[in-house]
């Protein structure tokens, strides 16, 4: 098992193949060498850049995607339960907020919470629970700076210089844009583009399948604090007061853009809402469908790239969060905005 946080961040990534049959998981750290720790699963808290447009989803083998997500979700939930039952967890690093200075630019913005999420909060917590705007910070994190590795050596991140690398490739930098709402134990994600996915895309564009041994591309790294689950936990703990720390419960995904996650969501919607025309655009207004993690659908949604961000946060931070159940709600806003929300229910 690789325990170096620097290598851990550099090697984690996800290959979401747009063929019909499989997902290739690329992670050297998150695999477990001790079977007593539970199943081996790669960390997929990453968002691809593919669009979930209706016509694109129609080209996928939705049943195969669903089956793959279900297998992953079943394994991940078993892993989480094993940890709650006393199996040793993987080592996890606790970061100070100052770690965000290495590689990230943090901007606090005044962006009103969207109406669909106000409706979701009203449904889960009751009318009048949405905090005032000054208690709903919107944090925009973009990876655009040089940073230092654990030993202190400067690592210039060439792919984060738009004028040289990103503009030439058309790639966007790593970015997390999230509402942090400790007053109601919630985070709502607007963008979830991990540094690891950017590294993978750079090497894919360069047709270099083995980044560690590739001398053609240099100075492409991820900072130690890079995974969505670690970044979100660090920021949430920093923003929460003493009474709110460790009480994160709701994780919302606004307008799911990962094509694999979107395909699984649409498959589930059609499964429970059969239509005469299989090519018809699915319609599912709020409050949509809710599934417990004990159901097949709940596990399949947990096994999507979006769901695994929540799963890894629950696994890594289970000691602080305590034993939790899990429910997931999905619905469609407007014509094609796919929404997903996890409720980590205290038990």
């Amino acid at each position: 098992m690789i325990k170096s946080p620097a290598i851990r961040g550099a090697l984690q990534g996800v290959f979401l193949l747009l063929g019909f049959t499989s997902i290739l998981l690329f992670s050297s750290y998150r695999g477990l060498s001790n079977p007593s720790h539970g199943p081996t699963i790669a960390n997929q808290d990453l968002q691809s850049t593919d669009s979930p447009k209706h016509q694109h989803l129609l080209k996928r083998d939705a049943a195969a995607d669903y089956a793959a997500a279900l297998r992953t979700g079943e394994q991940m939930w078993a892993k989480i339960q094993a940890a709650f039952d006393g199996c040793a967890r993987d080592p996890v690093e606790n970061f100070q907020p100052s770690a965000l200075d290495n590689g990230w630019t943090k901007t606090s913005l005044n962006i009103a919470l969207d109406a669909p999420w106000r409706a979701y909060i009203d449904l889960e917590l009751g009318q009048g629970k949405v905090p005032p705007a000054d208690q709903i910070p919107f944090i925009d994190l973009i990876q655009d700076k040089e940073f230092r590795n654990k030993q202190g050596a400067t690592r210039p991140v060439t792919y984060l210089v738009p004028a040289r690398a990103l503009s030439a490739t058309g790639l966007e930098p790593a970015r997390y844009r999230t509402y942090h709402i400790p007053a109601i134990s919630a985070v709502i994600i607007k963008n979830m583009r991990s540094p690891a996915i950017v590294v993978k895309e750079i090497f894919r564009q360069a047709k270099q399948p083995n980044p560690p041994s590739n001398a053609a591309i240099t100075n492409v790294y991820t900072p130690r604090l890079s995974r969505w689950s670690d970044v979100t936990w660090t920021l949430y703990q920093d923003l929460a007061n003493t009474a709110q720390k460790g009480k994160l419960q709701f994780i919302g995904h606004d307008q799911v853009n990962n094509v694999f996650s979107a395909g699984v969501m649409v498959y589930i919607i059609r499964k429970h809402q059969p239509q005469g025309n299989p090519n018809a655009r699915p319609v599912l207004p709020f409050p949509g469908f809710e599934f417990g993690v004990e159901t097949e659908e709940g596990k399949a949604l947990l096994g999507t790239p979006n769901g695994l961000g929540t799963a890894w946060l629950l696994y890594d931070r289970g000691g602080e969060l305590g034993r939790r159940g899990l429910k997931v709600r999905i619905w469609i806003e407007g014509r094609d905005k796919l929404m997903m929300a996890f409720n980590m229910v205290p038990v």
Side-chain angles (χ1 to χ4, degrees), residues 157-174:
V157 191
T158 58
Y159 74 86
L160 294 173
V161 183
R164 291 188 301 185
L166 288 179
S167 62
T169 62
L171 299 177
E172 295 293 329

Side-chain angles (χ1 to χ4, degrees), residues 200-224:
K200 185 205 71 163
E201 290 176 354
I202 289 170
F203 286 107
R204 183 174 63 189
Q205 285 215 1
K207 295 181 171 52
Q208 300 289 343
N210 299 307
S213 62
N214 173 27
I217 300 176
T218 59
N219 299 323
V220 178
Y221 302 93
T222 59
R224 287 165 55 219

Side-chain angles (χ1 to χ4, degrees), residues 112-342:
L113 187 64
D114 295 338
W117 293 109
R118 291 179 174 274
Y120 175 76
I121 293 168
D122 286 344
L123 178 67
E124 294 289 353
L125 298 177
Q127 294 286 333
K129 299 296 185 180
V130 178
D134 62 358
Q135 294 183 31
I136 309 179
F138 184 84
I139 308 298
D140 186 358
L141 279 176
I142 185 167
Q143 194 188 2
D144 60 354
K145 297 188 298 188
E146 292 187 359
F147 54 88
R148 296 179 181 274
N149 66 10
K150 192 172 185 179
Q151 289 71 40
T154 299
R155 289 181 165 184
V157 191
T158 58
Y159 74 86
L160 294 173
V161 183
R164 291 188 301 185
L166 288 179
S167 62
T169 62
L171 299 177
E172 295 293 329
R175 194 169 199 171
Y176 298 135
R177 301 173 71 240
T178 309
Y179 292 99
H180 288 262
I181 322 176
I184 55 169
S185 306
V187 296
I188 297 169
I189 306 150
K190 298 286 278 187
N191 289 83
M192 189 179 177
R193 180 168 167 79
S194 153
I197 201 72
V198 179
V199 170
K200 185 205 71 163
E201 290 176 354
I202 289 170
F203 286 107
R204 183 174 63 189
Q205 285 215 1
K207 295 181 171 52
Q208 300 289 343
N210 299 307
S213 62
N214 173 27
I217 300 176
T218 59
N219 299 323
V220 178
Y221 302 93
T222 59
R224 287 165 55 219
L225 180 52
S226 63
R227 294 192 305 130
W228 174 85
S229 53
D230 289 334
V231 170
T232 298
W233 182 258
T234 300
L235 275 175
Y236 184 87
Q237 294 294 91
D238 184 48
L239 292 167
N241 62 35
T242 301
Q244 296 164 346
K245 291 184 183 296
K247 293 186 177 180
L248 179 59
Q249 180 174 346
F250 302 101
I251 297 178
H253 293 264
D254 187 81
Q255 299 186 36
V256 172
N257 285 326
N258 179 282
V259 70
F260 184 87
S261 299
V264 172
M265 293 172 70
V266 170
Y267 180 86
I268 291 172
I269 291 169
R270 288 194 169 130
K271 177 182 176 182
H272 289 269
Q273 193 183 68
Q275 300 173 352
N277 178 6
N279 294 330
R281 184 183 297 274
V283 177
L284 183 65
F286 186 81
F289 295 142
E290 183 179 74
F291 303 97
V293 75
E294 71 279 359
T295 67
E296 183 179 284
E297 293 87 349
K299 290 186 178 72
L301 291 165
L302 186 68
T304 63
N306 290 77
L308 284 171
T310 296
W312 279 110
L313 189 149
L314 181 55
Y315 174 80
D316 285 338
R317 309 299 172 178
E320 296 96 326
L321 291 168
R323 185 181 286 273
R324 300 292 183 98
L326 199 64
K327 297 188 292 185
V328 56
R329 184 178 299 279
I330 58 174
W331 72 96
I332 301 175
E333 285 291 325
R335 285 175 54 82
D336 57 6
K337 295 177 181 178
L338 294 161
M339 317 289 271
M340 181 188 298
F342 289 90

